[in-house]
């Protein structure tokens, strides 16, 4: 299994396929440990789809498959854990507590997956109901920046207030300098306005907005 750092492009492929693909298959195809695939999904908040969870690949016990014997060993509704409301000393011996100290996380401990300054990741960003993938770069611990903005600022200096860095080809993962341009809020709004779209698309947007209003109105009753 690989132990090298995973590239942003591979991350995107894994995340795109994760909802409907068995994790073991992704592990075999990309040659990364299965627990690493799970960690990626957790980091990017990606979950298995409902269709996958209802399929045989999910590993879940579906109605009609569970035996009566297995039911006897389940926690019953309202079950209270034995350790609830207790301190460690209430159910663990002094010797056991002392032994546990060796395996506890030390103050300031960082996970092995902690990235370094300059590391680049891909994240999904949602805005106005639309989800897009963007690259981010770590500036320092707990501080990340859009990679395309970082690239522009390194070459051209600070971005003026009221201006935006956009992608000429529309690909939000193509952060090469020649694919970036700096435009004002007014120009960005003009590019994104519905009036620039073909008539069939505009009609669909108007219809969607109307339907949403009717649904919201019905739900509020």
């Amino acid at each position: 299994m690989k132990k090298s750092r995973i590239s942003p492009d591979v991350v995107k492929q894994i995340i795109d396929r994760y909802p409907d693909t068995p994790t073991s298959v992704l592990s075999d195809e990309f040659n990364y440990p299965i627990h690493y695939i799970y960690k990626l999904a957790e980091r990017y908040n990606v979950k298995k789809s409902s269709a996958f969870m209802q399929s045989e690949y999910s590993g879940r016990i579906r109605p009609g498959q569970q035996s009566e014997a297995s039911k006897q060993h389940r926690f019953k509704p309202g079950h209270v854990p034995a350790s609830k409301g207790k301190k460690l000393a209430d159910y663990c011996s002094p010797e056991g507590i002392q032994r546990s100290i060796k395996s506890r996380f030390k103050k300031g401990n960082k996970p092995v997956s902690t990235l370094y300054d300059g590391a680049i990741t891909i994240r999904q960003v949602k805005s106005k109901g639309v989800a897009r993938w963007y690259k981010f770069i770590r500036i320092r611990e707990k501080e990340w920046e859009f990679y395309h903005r970082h690239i522009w600022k390194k070459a051209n200096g600070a971005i003026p207030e009221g201006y935006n860095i956009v992608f000429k080809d529309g690909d939000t993962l193509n952060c090469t300098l020649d694919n970036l341009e700096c435009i004002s809020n007014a120009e960005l709004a003009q590019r994104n306005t519905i009036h620039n779209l073909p008539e069939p698309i505009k009609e669909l947007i108007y219809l969607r907005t109307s339907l949403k209003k009717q649904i919201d109105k019905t739900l509020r009753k």
Side-chain angles (χ1 to χ4, degrees), residues 94-113:
E95 295 78 12
I97 294 176
Q98 194 62 35
R99 288 196 300 271
S100 73
I101 293 176
K102 296 180 180 179
S103 60
R104 297 178 190 174
F105 287 125
K106 306 298 186 292
K107 186 176 181 180
N109 174 77
K110 295 181 180 179
V112 295
S113 58

Side-chain angles (χ1 to χ4, degrees), residues 9-40:
D9 290 337
V10 172
V11 170
K12 185 178 184 304
Q13 292 180 54
I14 292 175
I15 295 306
D16 284 345
R17 294 179 55 193
Y18 182 84
D20 298 296
T21 307
T23 310
S24 58
V25 172
L26 296 175
S27 175
D28 292 339
E29 287 189 17
F30 292 94
N31 199 25
Y32 282 94
I34 194 167
H35 71 269
Y36 191 83
I37 305 296
Y38 283 127
K39 283 292 185 183
L40 279 178

Side-chain angles (χ1 to χ4, degrees), residues 121-218:
T121 64
I122 295 178
R123 307 178 194 174
Q124 192 178 59
V125 178
K126 291 185 178 181
S127 177
K128 297 180 180 179
V130 178
R132 294 186 178 89
W133 292 95
Y134 289 91
K135 290 181 179 179
F136 285 79
I137 183 171
R138 174 172 150 159
I139 307 303
R140 58 183 62 85
E141 188 172 6
K142 298 182 180 181
E143 183 179 342
W144 292 78
E145 182 179 29
F146 280 105
Y147 187 52
H148 63 284
R149 292 175 62 87
H150 179 77
I151 290 294
W152 178 272
K153 288 194 293 186
K154 282 187 67 176
N156 301 286
I159 301 170
E161 185 176 351
Y163 279 75
N164 312 269
I165 307 303
V166 299
F167 305 87
K168 294 178 181 178
D169 64 358
D171 182 0
T172 55
L173 295 180
N174 183 4
C175 297
T176 56
L177 187 59
D178 60 358
N179 188 46
L180 304 177
E181 60 179 330
C182 184
I183 63 175
S184 67
N185 289 340
E187 186 176 353
L188 180 62
Q190 185 177 15
R191 290 188 185 186
N192 293 336
T193 181
I194 189 174
H195 301 294
N196 291 334
L197 299 174
E199 283 300 324
I201 302 298
K202 287 196 286 187
E203 290 177 8
L204 287 174
I205 293 176
Y206 290 139
L207 178 60
R208 178 180 178 274
T209 303
S210 178
L211 286 173
K212 187 177 185 303
K213 288 181 179 179
Q214 291 298 324
I215 291 172
D216 291 343
K217 184 177 180 180
T218 301

